[in-house]
Amino acid sequence: MVRDTLVDFFADLSALEGDFVVYDDGYRPRHFSYGEMAGMARAFALRLRASGIRKGDRVLVWSENRPGWIGGALGMHP
């Protein structure tokens, strides 16, 4: 299988075990597995579709710096 973009690796990454992201918010570190990040991406993609947003639409995402950005970035790709 040819992989040209990071999104092409999505299925392979979601099957891996272990920590993908460790986020320390200054209070405590939180660990997110590959599967959890893939779940975030899928959930975000479903919410975009449920809101009627389609390929080519413009969306502004505003948030503090957090691990969900990675899931959101992957979830915005078809």
Side-chain angles (χ1 to χ4, degrees):
M1 172 197 269
V2 176
R3 295 180 184 101
D4 295 321
T5 68
L6 289 175
V7 177
D8 294 337
F9 287 93
F10 185 72
D12 295 338
L13 287 176
S14 65
L16 294 176
E17 294 186 22
D19 290 338
F20 180 64
V21 172
V22 178
Y23 174 69
D24 188 343
D25 62 4
Y27 177 67
R28 66 171 185 241
R30 295 188 60 201
H31 300 254
F32 297 89
S33 70
Y34 288 89
E36 288 173 315
M37 293 306 293
M40 281 186 207
R42 288 185 190 105
F44 189 65
L46 288 172
R47 294 214 41 189
L48 290 173
R49 282 187 222 120
S51 298
I53 297 169
R54 300 289 179 249
K55 185 175 181 174
D57 290 347
R58 293 185 175 135
V59 176
L60 172 69
V61 179
W62 186 274
S63 175
E64 62 188 41
N65 191 12
R66 56 186 317 116
W69 276 104
I70 298 167
L74 290 170
M76 286 191 275
H77 296 277

